[in-house]
Amino acid sequence: MSGEPVIIVKIGGGAAINLAGVADDLLGLTERVVVVHGANAARDRLAAAIGRPPRVVTSVSGYTSVFSDDEAIDALMMAYAGLRNKRIVELCQVRGVNAVGLSGLDGRAVQGRRNAGIRVREGGKTLLLHDNSGKPTGVNTALLGLLLDNGYLPVLTVPIADEGGRAVNSENDDVVAVLARALECTRVVQLIEAPGLLADPADPESVVARIPHDRLAEWEGRAEGRFKRKIAGLRKLCAGGGLEVVIADGRGPHPLAGALAGKGTVIS
Amino acid sequence: MSGEPVIIVKIGGGAAINLAGVADDLLGLTERVVVVHGANAARDRLAAAIGRPPRVVTSVSGYTSVFSDDEAIDALMMAYAGLRNKRIVELCQVRGVNAVGLSGLDGRAVQGRRNAGIRVREGGKTLLLHDNSGKPTGVNTALLGLLLDNGYLPVLTVPIADEGGRAVNSENDDVVAVLARALECTRVVQLIEAPGLLADPADPESVVARIPHDRLAEWEGRAEGRFKRKIAGLRKLCAGGGLEVVIADGRGPHPLAGALAGKGTVIS
């Protein structure tokens, strides 16, 4: 892979994200880009349509997560690698952006380690539940390089491949962190359904314009719930140093161009 | 792309196809392979689960086909490019076969032309219905060659890209025909839920061992319905000459190895 820097654009899985606007902005970029996207809204809609809501479990350490049985992986393949991945690729192709959609399984684009299990309390006992979830540990940089060097835009999503090549669900934030390190990225854009990180979650005007790397620990200490996990993810992502992360609104007319112009929250 | 011949393996979309057995056999092959697969069983199961059966229309010329509105394309992306594509890739990856799943949209791997419309009779009038369906016209041989030359096994499915890059549904037989020509294949294997082409559809013992190219027209004249369309497809596929097609049972323990050993019906 050539030495040109790569920008990772993480597109949240919310229904309000303006995917067409992101594709418009991708056409205007001269930098090499890898897209990583979620699809939780599509997954939830599918789950509701087939009458099988995702099973959510709470670990003894207090984290809630989706329990990924085989049916959940089916749903993941349909909503993430199927519907949303191909609709994003289509929006790109319509604009002349030569996108190639890949799950982590394809060419083991994203490889990981299957989780040992989730420790839960049930009926006064601690049980170890096994599911198809895991943590990404590496990236097939040769495959991504092959695509980037030949003018393709990789569009990645879950599932990823475990040690044995089996499909496991994974947090997209972890995928982005492993990818950023493997591709030696200097810039990550995260497009979400909010104007940026908010000092007061109830007040959309309270966007934090900038958080220096060395203040993330302090923010993490103050935060709660999902937001705490988000900051913890940002700490992990920025741990290597030298990475600028922009968290910006994915809902406006030019979400990506706005983010690259510094709108939203810049972590640097 | 190097001059080595490519075998196209078309895997039918039936639920009884032994995908694990096909993946076992793929591991044993030294030839370069491109897989094209259907997913009609998965699509029908999804449609039933969400309570939206595919809309089937009959054209004035007597052909029945699925009417591909936007929701049908969503379902196609989920069942074909999502669920079945990624499960096939997973079965390959588990065995060390480095599969990469692609829809025709990805890198415009399979490009086509959107259909003008389906002429139907409704209430005594002839109407032209527009849907998202089309005919493949070309293949991104550069992308497929890039993958094959680097040891990846492309696993292709619908939707394909129309002239403008939008998703359209297409017959897999037509995709295989365009692909065979573009890759200058000499061998196509079609794995179905029957022991081969049957002289008597009701008698599984009546497998036709061989049909020479120059007898296909005669067979087409005798055939009816779906089978007639199948033979018409084979005629189109073999029109360029020099192509051997094996239609074999996808349900046994070694479907692909069996087909390559000459089991089923050989068109040559």
Side-chain angles (χ1 to χ4, degrees):
Chain A
M1 183 159 60
S2 85
E4 259 181 275
V6 174
I7 298 177
I8 297 175
V9 177
K10 185 192 160 210
I11 305 176
I17 303 284
N18 177 11
L19 297 178
V22 177
D24 284 341
D25 292 344
L26 284 169
L27 181 61
L29 290 185
T30 53
E31 292 92 343
R32 291 147 66 98
V33 175
V34 174
V35 168
V36 178
H37 69 84
N40 55 294
R43 198 257 322 274
D44 292 347
R45 213 164 46 233
L46 173 63
I50 64 178
R52 293 185 178 272
R55 178 177 166 198
V56 175
V57 294
T58 305
S59 74
V60 289
S61 52
Y63 275 140
T64 58
S65 56
V66 172
F67 187 79
S68 298
D69 55 15
D70 289 346
E71 275 188 19
I73 296 294
D74 281 353
L76 212 69
M77 288 173 167
M78 287 194 270
Y80 285 71
L83 183 56
R84 194 153 168 104
N85 188 267
K86 298 319 167 198
R87 286 297 187 194
I88 291 174
V89 168
E90 182 186 34
L91 287 168
C92 288
Q93 287 292 347
V94 164
R95 287 158 179 79
V97 176
N98 208 353
V100 171
L102 298 172
S103 75
L105 291 171
D106 298 294
R108 298 203 186 200
V110 185
Q111 305 132 33
R113 206 167 20 237
R114 181 175 286 262
N115 289 338
I118 307 169
R119 234 166 266 285
V120 297
R121 292 292 294 175
E122 242 176 61
K125 283 183 183 164
T126 300
L127 300 174
L128 189 65
L129 298 181
H130 294 280
D131 78 340
N132 302 301
S133 64
K135 298 264 180 308
T137 53
V139 167
N140 185 344
T141 49
L143 176 58
L144 295 178
L146 203 62
L147 292 171
L148 288 167
D149 289 346
N150 285 277
Y152 297 102
L153 170 77
V155 179
L156 297 174
T157 194
V158 291
I160 68 169
D162 77 1
E163 308 88 322
R166 286 205 57 205
V168 287
N169 191 7
S170 187
E171 292 284 341
N172 260 331
D173 278 336
D174 294 333
V175 171
V176 167
V178 168
L179 198 59
R181 226 169 332 260
L183 300 181
E184 299 175 5
C185 291
T186 54
R187 218 161 183 203
V188 171
V189 175
Q190 303 189 352
L191 299 174
I192 63 173
E193 290 179 306
L197 289 184
L198 303 177
D200 172 4
D203 177 10
E205 303 286 313
S206 66
V207 176
V208 182
R210 186 172 168 267
I211 304 179
H213 284 160
D214 56 16
R215 298 278 301 280
L216 281 170
E218 191 188 316
W219 275 79
E220 191 182 344
R222 276 208 305 262
E224 282 172 26
R226 244 190 98 75
F227 189 60
K228 191 184 193 72
R229 212 196 283 203
K230 179 88 205 153
I231 299 278
L234 285 169
R235 275 233 293 163
K236 229 190 290 178
L237 180 58
C238 297
L243 188 68
E244 182 183 279
V245 183
V246 186
I247 301 169
D249 205 325
R251 300 169 300 177
H254 285 289
L256 180 54
L260 291 171
K263 276 194 191 173
T265 303
V266 178
I267 324 277
S268 61
Chain B
M1 183 159 58
S2 84
E4 258 182 275
V6 175
I7 299 176
I8 296 175
V9 177
K10 185 194 160 205
I11 305 176
I17 302 286
N18 177 10
L19 296 178
V22 177
D24 285 340
D25 293 344
L26 284 170
L27 182 61
L29 290 184
T30 52
E31 292 93 342
R32 292 146 66 98
V33 175
V34 174
V35 168
V36 178
H37 70 84
N40 54 294
R43 196 257 322 272
D44 292 348
R45 214 164 45 234
L46 173 63
I50 63 179
R52 293 187 179 269
R55 178 177 167 198
V56 175
V57 293
T58 305
S59 73
V60 289
S61 52
Y63 276 139
T64 58
S65 56
V66 172
F67 187 78
S68 299
D69 54 17
D70 289 345
E71 277 188 20
I73 296 294
D74 282 352
L76 212 69
M77 288 173 167
M78 287 194 269
Y80 285 71
L83 183 56
R84 193 153 170 105
N85 189 267
K86 298 318 167 200
R87 286 296 187 196
I88 291 174
V89 167
E90 181 186 34
L91 287 167
C92 288
Q93 288 292 348
V94 164
R95 287 159 178 78
V97 176
N98 208 352
V100 171
L102 298 173
S103 75
L105 291 172
D106 298 295
R108 297 202 187 201
V110 184
Q111 304 131 31
R113 207 168 19 235
R114 181 174 286 262
N115 288 338
I118 309 170
R119 232 167 265 285
V120 298
R121 292 293 293 176
E122 243 178 60
K125 282 185 184 163
T126 300
L127 302 175
L128 190 64
L129 298 182
H130 294 279
D131 79 341
N132 303 301
S133 65
K135 299 264 179 309
T137 52
V139 167
N140 185 344
T141 50
L143 176 58
L144 296 178
L146 202 64
L147 292 171
L148 288 167
D149 289 347
N150 286 279
Y152 297 101
L153 170 77
V155 178
L156 296 174
T157 194
V158 290
I160 66 169
D162 76 0
E163 307 89 323
R166 287 205 56 204
V168 287
N169 190 8
S170 187
E171 293 284 341
N172 260 330
D173 278 336
D174 293 333
V175 171
V176 167
V178 168
L179 198 58
R181 229 175 324 266
L183 300 180
E184 297 175 5
C185 292
T186 53
R187 219 162 181 202
V188 171
V189 174
Q190 302 190 353
L191 299 174
I192 63 172
E193 290 180 306
L197 288 185
L198 304 177
D200 172 4
D203 177 10
E205 303 288 311
S206 67
V207 177
V208 181
R210 185 170 170 268
I211 304 178
H213 284 160
D214 55 15
R215 297 279 302 279
L216 280 170
E218 192 188 316
W219 275 79
E220 191 182 342
R222 277 207 305 261
E224 281 173 25
R226 243 189 101 75
F227 189 60
K228 191 185 193 70
R229 212 195 283 203
K230 178 90 204 152
I231 300 278
L234 285 168
R235 276 233 292 163
K236 228 191 288 180
L237 180 58
C238 297
L243 188 67
E244 183 184 278
V245 183
V246 186
I247 300 169
D249 204 324
R251 299 168 301 178
H254 285 289
L256 180 53
L260 291 172
K263 276 194 191 171
T265 303
V266 179
I267 322 276
S268 62

